[in-house]
Amino acid sequence: MINQQLLHPESIVVVGGSNNVHKPGGALVRNLINGGYKGTLRIINPKEDEVQGIKVFHDASEIPPTDLAVLVIPAKMCPDCVELLASQKGVKAFIIISAGFGEETKEGAILEQHIIDTCEKYGAALIGPNCIGLMNSWHHSVFTKPIPTLHEKGVDFISGSGATAVFILESAVIKGLPFNSVWSVGNSKQIGIEDVLQYMDENFDPEHDSRIKLLYIENINNPDKLLQHASSLIRKGCRIAAIKAGSSESGSRAASSHTGAIASNDSAVEALFRKAGIVRCFSREELTTVGCIFTLPPLTGRNFAIVTHAGGPGVMLTDALSKGGLNVPKIEGPEADELKSLLFPGSSVSNPIDILATGTPEHLGLAIDYCENKFKDIDAIFVIFGTPGLVQLYEAYDVLHKKILECKKPIFPILPCLNTAGPEVAEFLKKGHVNFSDEVTLATALTQVMKTPKPASGEIELFGVNVPRIRDVINSIEGNGYISPEHVHELFECAGIPMVPEKVSSDKDELIAFAEKVGYPVVAKVVGPIHKSDVGGVALNIRTAEHLALEFERMMKIEGATGIMVQKMLKGRELFIGAKYEPRFGHIVLCGLGGIFVEVLKDVSSGLAPLSYEEAYSMIHSLRTYKIIKGTRGQKGVNEKKYAEIIVRLSTLLRFATEIKEMDINPLLADENDVIAVDARIRIEKD
């Protein structure tokens, strides 16, 4: 419940404000005053008469009606204070800095619930408790530093952790990243990250609102709300990046299939972010670097020029970009020769363009001009320029400043000398620019930005999927657990997922007759045990009826065997598709190389069902082993179109068969023509 009293209060009371700026109450008053708050600021402190030049009220009952109250008092005192202020003083917004609530004890949770009930009763907004506060251009209701540069086109930053918010701000300020607002939601008892995004989405003003959102998330309470409003904001022209911390805690849980061992809350987060179009980051530096990238014009291509006077960083940047699938194309031809003639002898223009340590600001400007106007295959320019102690950096950075304003192609300034050239870099940042001090961190962040897909459409791909028949099959299955191969085959047939011809039976003669019909060689697999290979329940390349009969008799003696499956033996690249139901998120679909690779490499991509074709292709292309799928070293690739189609069809099946909690198709056999499911297991739970 975000209201104007929280965002734009005409009056603020700090309960627990003091003269000691080394404590939260004093620091918060200092930040409000230094931030130029233009409303009426009141202080409540029973032990002081004046705080930082402001007359003090000794009790909450003494103050006039007030819009916003910021509480910096012990937790046990907060419920009664909130009750008094809301019921008698018309306070409609609270920021509770204090800790000691539900994050610590059951008693604290009771206090917290009392506060929530009061706020709900009187229609008041609540940030916290256990947070650093809220900061925007109107009021700086935080007790921490740093206070970043604030203006309406800066970043909206929302954090679930106060301390982490401070560290992220530290990382951002040194890069010159401006902010519009900083939200520390603490325990998020009323207003969480999803709620802030909802407010920003539903009240979005394209003329004045920030288009950059950075998130630090420790718990996704409402995945659907996060998905809805993040994707909506991105479609409106915003760009969002986020860290999700704590995603590995559920990764070690035991599971009864390959997918269960791999699928975790982290897979769900990856899938949710992919569907929403959120750029996922894994560190504070990466998050703030992505935020700086967002301040630059959007990239229109993947070809980059590097202008530098230091060869090593140019080489490292080239390596990092190439590793991320981005291009540093060779520059050659008459224009390149012309530029080289204008630089000092020994300079290189092949890309990176190295103007040497003795290169002048004029040389820097020339190199940028050629990249902008004459090298047509360049989409953006990296400029690495520190201090070799031979040039005046103020002049060089002034040239860089002018070129950033003039050029249509994005320019990424990499100014690494924050110690020896601190004043020069600071002057450059004051002109409204950002700085990427480390070229490899920039390349890693840029790779994340470039590989993040646009928000997925909300449409479900139904073509060729028989939804009524899917429901009939699911309803016909009795009990819970892994379903029979016959039911698996029926469900796949309903979804249009091709399967290798197979026969399941406990009758040896029936299986031999089937093998004769489809033609040898065939594969025999035991039915019953979950992990067939572990118990010797798989026999390949069976070429005669006699061999099949021997394998039948051997496998039927395996503990738990209920029958034998015989399949036509096919050849091809082994692929994998799996699915796992995650509470609150829904079905997470995984894909990757199949067979033992899915267990050994654990190289899988995840998506949130239902999936679009664009999402499926994004999942396939983001695999580390994608080069194998595409084809490498003379080997033909697999049919990506059919692989993506099966992923999409499977996700649609899951959408209408929510009883399915776990699924493996491992392997699918694929070549340049076909992709076909060979082995699959499905586990269901009804009610």
Side-chain angles (χ1 to χ4, degrees):
M1 179 184 172
I2 297 172
N3 54 30
Q4 284 303 303
Q5 289 91 339
L6 178 65
L7 299 176
H8 200 274
E10 295 298 331
S11 52
I12 299 175
V13 58
V14 179
V15 185
S18 74
N19 284 305
N20 188 345
V21 296
H22 299 293
K23 291 186 176 182
L28 199 142
V29 173
R30 175 202 62 200
N31 287 343
L32 279 165
I33 294 171
N34 292 345
Y37 174 61
K38 295 180 176 60
T40 302
L41 181 58
R42 302 181 175 111
I43 312 293
I44 297 175
N45 188 322
K47 299 178 181 179
E48 302 274 4
D49 293 322
E50 184 177 289
V51 165
Q52 299 181 45
I54 300 173
K55 182 182 176 181
V56 171
F57 295 90
H58 291 160
D59 189 270
S61 62
E62 300 173 359
I63 69 168
T66 304
D67 286 343
L68 167 66
V70 186
L71 274 60
V72 199
I73 55 177
K76 63 183 180 181
M77 299 173 64
C78 288
D80 289 343
C81 183
V82 170
E83 175 73 35
L84 188 155
L85 291 171
S87 63
Q88 298 181 28
K89 303 301 176 179
V91 174
K92 291 295 183 181
F94 292 89
I95 299 173
I96 300 182
I97 304 297
S98 317
F101 291 92
E103 79 280 2
E104 291 188 6
T105 64
K106 291 182 178 179
E107 292 78 9
I110 294 172
L111 297 176
E112 197 168 51
Q113 189 58 51
H114 186 179
I115 293 170
I116 293 298
D117 293 341
T118 301
C119 288
E120 294 298 324
K121 178 180 178 181
Y122 293 100
L126 171 66
I127 294 289
N130 184 31
C131 66
I132 65 169
L134 168 65
M135 172 169 45
N136 59 27
S137 58
W138 180 248
H139 67 107
H140 296 180
S141 294
V142 296
F143 69 90
T144 54
K145 289 185 176 181
I147 303 296
T149 301
L150 293 170
H151 63 76
E152 65 180 17
K153 296 302 181 183
V155 173
D156 289 318
F157 173 42
I158 316 165
S159 177
S161 163
T164 306
V166 171
F167 300 154
I168 289 172
L169 288 172
E170 291 278 5
S171 172
V173 166
I174 201 169
K175 295 180 177 69
L177 184 62
F179 285 78
N180 176 56
S181 66
V182 176
W183 300 68
S184 167
V185 295
N187 292 358
S188 304
K189 297 311 295 182
Q190 185 199 71
I191 298 172
I193 290 174
E194 299 95 329
D195 303 294
V196 179
L197 283 177
Q198 178 181 5
Y199 181 86
M200 291 178 176
D201 179 26
E202 294 177 348
N203 297 275
F204 183 69
D205 179 354
E207 292 296 321
H208 299 101
D209 285 359
S210 167
R211 293 178 179 267
I212 302 174
K213 321 292 180 187
L214 300 183
L215 316 176
Y216 174 78
I217 306 170
E218 290 187 344
N219 185 40
I220 299 176
N221 295 309
N222 192 328
D224 287 341
K225 182 183 284 190
L226 180 64
L227 172 61
Q228 176 187 347
H229 295 293
S231 58
S232 175
L233 281 165
I234 294 170
R235 290 190 187 97
K236 291 173 180 175
C238 295
R239 309 178 81 182
I240 301 178
I243 296 172
K244 170 63 178 74
S247 297
S248 63
E249 292 180 3
S250 63
S252 61
R253 67 178 181 272
S256 57
S257 73
H258 303 303
T259 305
I262 297 165
S264 67
N265 187 254
D266 192 60
S267 299
V269 171
E270 187 77 23
L272 177 65
F273 282 15
R274 184 192 304 278
K275 200 172 196 70
I278 297 171
V279 177
R280 189 174 188 189
C281 301
F282 296 90
S283 71
R284 302 190 306 272
E285 282 298 306
E286 189 175 1
L287 182 68
T288 55
T289 300
V290 169
C292 290
I293 292 171
F294 284 168
T295 67
L296 302 181
L299 290 165
T300 58
R302 306 171 74 87
N303 294 327
F304 300 91
I306 301 171
V307 178
T308 179
H309 64 173
V315 173
M316 289 191 289
L317 178 55
T318 301
D319 287 343
L321 291 170
S322 299
K323 183 179 178 181
L326 306 177
N327 307 317
V328 182
K330 186 176 182 180
I331 296 175
E332 54 188 348
E335 291 86 359
D337 295 338
E338 183 178 282
L339 173 61
K340 188 169 184 178
S341 70
L342 299 173
L343 302 176
F344 285 146
S347 299
S348 171
V349 297
S350 60
N351 204 13
I353 300 169
D354 187 350
I355 65 174
L356 304 180
T358 52
T360 67
E362 290 78 11
H363 291 151
L364 173 63
L366 277 170
I368 294 173
D369 284 342
Y370 270 75
C371 292
E372 169 73 9
N373 300 311
K374 297 194 175 185
F375 301 150
K376 302 302 181 184
D377 293 332
I378 298 302
D379 301 305
I381 307 162
F382 294 93
V383 176
I384 305 174
F385 211 96
T387 172
L390 301 173
V391 296
Q392 286 292 324
L393 282 185
Y394 283 114
E395 186 179 348
Y397 289 172
D398 189 53
V399 169
L400 181 57
H401 161 68
K402 292 176 181 177
K403 295 305 177 186
I404 290 174
L405 297 181
E406 295 171 1
C407 293
K408 294 181 180 178
K409 295 176 182 178
I411 296 177
F412 294 81
I414 302 169
L415 316 180
C417 298
L418 303 181
N419 181 37
T420 56
E424 293 94 327
V425 173
E427 183 67 24
F428 177 78
L429 297 182
K430 284 181 181 178
K431 296 176 180 177
H433 303 301
V434 294
N435 173 35
F436 306 92
S437 60
D438 182 79
E439 61 279 350
V440 175
T441 302
L442 169 57
T444 302
L446 189 60
T447 298
Q448 286 294 101
V449 172
M450 295 294 283
K451 77 177 187 180
T452 300
K454 295 179 181 179
S457 68
E459 297 180 2
I460 301 175
E461 299 285 350
L462 291 173
F463 181 75
V465 179
N466 190 336
V467 175
R469 178 61 183 148
I470 289 173
R471 292 309 313 160
D472 289 342
V473 174
I474 291 293
N475 292 335
S476 71
I477 299 172
E478 297 182 358
N480 296 329
Y482 285 97
I483 65 176
S484 69
E486 290 87 355
H487 283 133
V488 173
H489 201 283
E490 283 185 273
L491 288 173
F492 280 16
E493 186 177 6
C494 296
I497 299 173
M499 288 199 72
V500 64
E502 64 182 34
K503 177 73 174 179
V504 177
S505 178
S506 58
D507 186 309
K508 178 172 60 178
D509 294 333
E510 281 187 8
L511 295 176
I512 291 174
F514 173 77
E516 297 285 351
K517 179 180 177 181
V518 299
Y520 291 100
V522 296
V523 178
K525 303 175 183 178
V526 68
V527 176
I530 295 174
H531 296 292
K532 296 179 280 293
S533 298
D534 294 347
V535 294
V538 178
L540 306 176
N541 203 28
I542 298 172
R543 295 184 173 273
T544 65
E546 291 78 15
H547 187 184
L548 179 57
L550 288 172
E551 293 294 352
F552 175 88
E553 292 169 1
R554 179 183 68 81
M555 290 186 192
M556 286 301 291
K557 296 176 183 178
I558 294 174
E559 183 179 354
T562 60
I564 305 298
M565 175 191 292
V566 173
Q567 296 174 320
K568 174 68 178 175
M569 185 168 176
L570 303 176
K571 293 183 179 180
R573 175 72 62 191
E574 290 189 342
L575 303 176
F576 160 82
I577 302 177
K580 176 76 175 181
Y581 182 82
E582 283 284 345
R584 295 183 295 129
F585 287 83
H587 283 102
I588 311 304
V589 180
L590 308 175
C591 74
L593 285 180
I596 63 171
F597 290 103
V598 71
E599 296 175 343
V600 175
L601 297 181
K602 291 183 170 58
D603 177 28
V604 295
S605 292
S606 56
L608 187 61
L611 295 166
S612 66
Y613 280 93
E614 289 77 13
E615 289 177 277
Y617 282 118
S618 173
M619 290 167 63
I620 296 168
H621 294 165
S622 66
L623 292 165
R624 297 195 306 273
T625 48
Y626 172 63
K627 288 184 178 179
I628 297 175
I629 293 173
K630 187 177 181 181
T632 186
R633 293 193 175 183
Q635 294 185 348
K636 292 183 178 180
V638 308
N639 190 317
E640 277 187 48
K641 181 179 179 181
K642 290 192 175 180
Y643 189 27
E645 182 179 338
I646 292 175
I647 293 172
V648 172
R649 288 178 177 273
L650 174 66
S651 77
T652 303
L653 165 65
L654 295 168
R655 172 63 180 81
F656 294 101
T658 55
E659 295 87 348
I660 295 175
K661 302 305 178 187
E662 206 169 320
M663 173 188 290
D664 277 326
I665 311 177
N666 187 23
L668 296 98
L669 287 179
D671 57 23
E672 66 271 24
N673 298 313
D674 293 306
V675 180
I676 189 167
V678 173
D679 198 2
R681 294 175 301 153
I682 296 176
R683 181 175 64 83
I684 68 169
E685 291 180 13
K686 292 188 173 185
D687 300 325

